[in-house]
């Protein structure tokens, strides 16, 4: 190596080291002169497991669960439904598949599941899945894959079982059993409401998913207020709002002394500790 090349290499190393030191002190002192982009996406957690989903998958999981809650199905049915959708579509609302299969559960019009347009509606598809599952005698005592197979009649009857653990983590969070368990990051969220009609759209979407929920738009507060009769329902609603934040421009969700913000993607202590309602600000 020539002396000039050696000098250039030393210079690059010095620049890299100084840059690293600068970034360390920036992080330590809490200032952010550099915009470090965050990746959009969601994490669902319990004490032992983290499940990563993209924003579309999270939104569809929230709808599947909310439909189950609205129909008052056993919690186990939600686990089976989520495991089935994870296997059939990876929680993506597919417009095609094997033969004439459509949607989250890859249901087939030719087998009586409905029209392609109906099946492409996640709410309709979830309702049809639950209806079929609840007709299976003894399904609650079956393994997840056995219960799913009774509905789906797949060529790969054991395929659903590999999603059972992830489905249970997601279900427990969206059912409200695990507090502050759904975290989604929306890096482009600006927190500015430009269309107050969006508040009514959020409230209406909740009612369509759950079937019945006390969600009202408060244009003065630029927020949607959702009544919670207990902590479990409150966390279910809060997690739905986080899971579908990207669909509706939700910037923050507050419940029971915790607040989630779209830019941080995290739940943090809130100034208000109100367990009687969920507040979603746009």
């Amino acid at each position: 190596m020539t002396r000039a090349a050696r000098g250039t290499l030393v210079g690059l190393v010095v620049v890299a080291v100084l840059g690293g030191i600068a970034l360390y002190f920036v992080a330590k002192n809490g200032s952010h002169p550099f915009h470090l982009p965050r990746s959009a996406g969601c994490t669902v957690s319990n004490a032992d497991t983290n499940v990563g989903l993209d924003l579309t998958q999270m939104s569809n999981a929230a709808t599947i669960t909310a439909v189950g809650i609205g129909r008052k199905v056993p919690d186990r049915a939600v686990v089976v439904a989520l495991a089935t959708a994870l296997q059939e579509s990876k929680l993506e609302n597919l417009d095609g598949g094997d033969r004439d299969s459509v949607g989250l559960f890859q249901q087939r019009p030719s087998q009586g599941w409905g029209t392609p347009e109906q099946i492409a509606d996640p709410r309709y598809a979830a309702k049809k899945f639950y209806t079929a599952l609840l007709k299976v005698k003894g399904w609650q005592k079956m393994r997840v894959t056995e219960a799913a197979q009774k509905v789906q009649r797949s060529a790969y009857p054991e395929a659903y079982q590999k999603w059972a653990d992830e489905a249970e983590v997601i279900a427990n969070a969206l059912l409200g059993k695990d507090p502050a368990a759904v975290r989604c990051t929306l890096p482009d969220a600006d927190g500015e409401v430009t269309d107050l009609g969006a508040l009514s759209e959020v409230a209406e979407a909740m009612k369509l998913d759950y079937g019945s929920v006390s969600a009202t738009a408060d244009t003065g507060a630029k927020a949607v207020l959702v009544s919670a009769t207990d902590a479990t329902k409150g966390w279910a609603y809060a997690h739905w709002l986080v899971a579908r934040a990207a669909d509706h421009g939700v910037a923050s969700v507050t419940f029971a002394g915790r607040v989630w913000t779209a830019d941080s993607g995290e739940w943090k202590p809130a100034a208000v500790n109100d367990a009687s309602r969920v507040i979603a600000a746009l």
Side-chain angles (χ1 to χ4, degrees), residues 230-256:
D230 57 55
T232 299
K233 285 188 174 62
W235 280 113
Y237 299 149
H239 288 155
W240 184 96
L241 287 159
V242 173
R244 300 205 57 188
D247 299 334
H248 300 291
V250 175
S252 69
V253 178
T254 305
F255 179 65

Side-chain angles (χ1 to χ4, degrees), residues 9-270:
L9 178 59
V10 170
L12 290 172
V13 171
V14 170
V15 169
V17 171
L18 290 175
I21 292 172
L23 286 174
Y24 167 78
F25 282 105
V26 163
K28 182 177 180 181
N29 294 322
S31 57
H32 302 279
F34 308 105
H35 178 66
L36 301 178
R38 299 174 183 268
S39 58
C42 302
T43 302
V44 188
S45 307
N46 64 13
D48 305 310
T49 307
N50 292 324
V51 178
L53 299 174
D54 65 29
L55 297 174
T56 298
Q57 290 173 313
M58 192 74 251
S59 176
N60 287 327
T63 290
I64 290 171
T65 305
V67 169
I69 291 172
R71 295 200 64 187
K72 296 181 171 59
V73 303
D75 293 353
R76 177 76 168 171
V78 176
V79 175
V80 175
L82 289 171
T84 301
L86 280 163
Q87 170 59 27
E88 295 290 355
S89 67
K90 300 297 186 291
L91 281 171
E92 301 281 350
N93 193 23
L94 303 179
D95 57 8
D98 179 42
R99 287 169 282 189
D100 60 337
S101 299
V102 178
L104 290 170
F105 298 93
Q106 288 292 278
Q107 294 155 331
R108 297 178 59 190
S110 63
Q111 293 183 343
W113 288 98
T115 67
E117 293 76 19
Q118 288 174 321
I119 299 170
D121 178 355
R123 297 181 185 108
Y124 174 92
K127 288 176 183 176
K128 294 292 285 188
F129 180 86
Y130 288 126
T131 297
L133 177 64
L134 295 178
K135 290 180 180 177
V136 175
K137 185 176 180 180
W139 69 270
Q140 292 195 63
K141 297 180 180 179
M142 298 177 184
R143 290 186 302 142
V144 166
T145 197
E146 292 167 348
Q149 175 63 3
K150 289 290 185 180
V151 176
Q152 300 296 106
R153 302 188 182 281
S154 168
Y156 306 95
E158 288 293 318
Y160 306 100
Q161 193 62 33
K162 66 176 175 285
W163 301 107
D165 292 342
E166 288 87 344
E168 187 166 6
V169 172
I170 299 168
N172 284 342
L174 291 171
L175 288 166
K177 293 181 177 181
D178 293 331
V182 175
R183 304 188 303 279
C184 295
T185 302
L186 284 62
D188 296 330
D190 56 18
E192 293 294 328
V193 181
T194 57
D195 177 13
L196 293 180
L199 294 169
S200 297
E201 292 176 5
V202 175
E204 183 61 23
M206 287 196 79
K207 292 173 184 177
L208 289 172
D209 270 13
Y210 286 100
S212 177
V213 64
S214 178
T216 58
D218 185 334
T219 56
K222 297 182 180 179
V224 176
L225 310 179
V226 188
S227 297
T229 56
D230 57 55
T232 299
K233 285 188 174 62
W235 280 113
Y237 299 149
H239 288 155
W240 184 96
L241 287 159
V242 173
R244 300 205 57 188
D247 299 334
H248 300 291
V250 175
S252 69
V253 178
T254 305
F255 179 65
R258 306 290 293 277
V259 59
W260 165 89
T261 56
D263 55 352
S264 73
E266 297 294 332
W267 288 94
K268 299 178 181 179

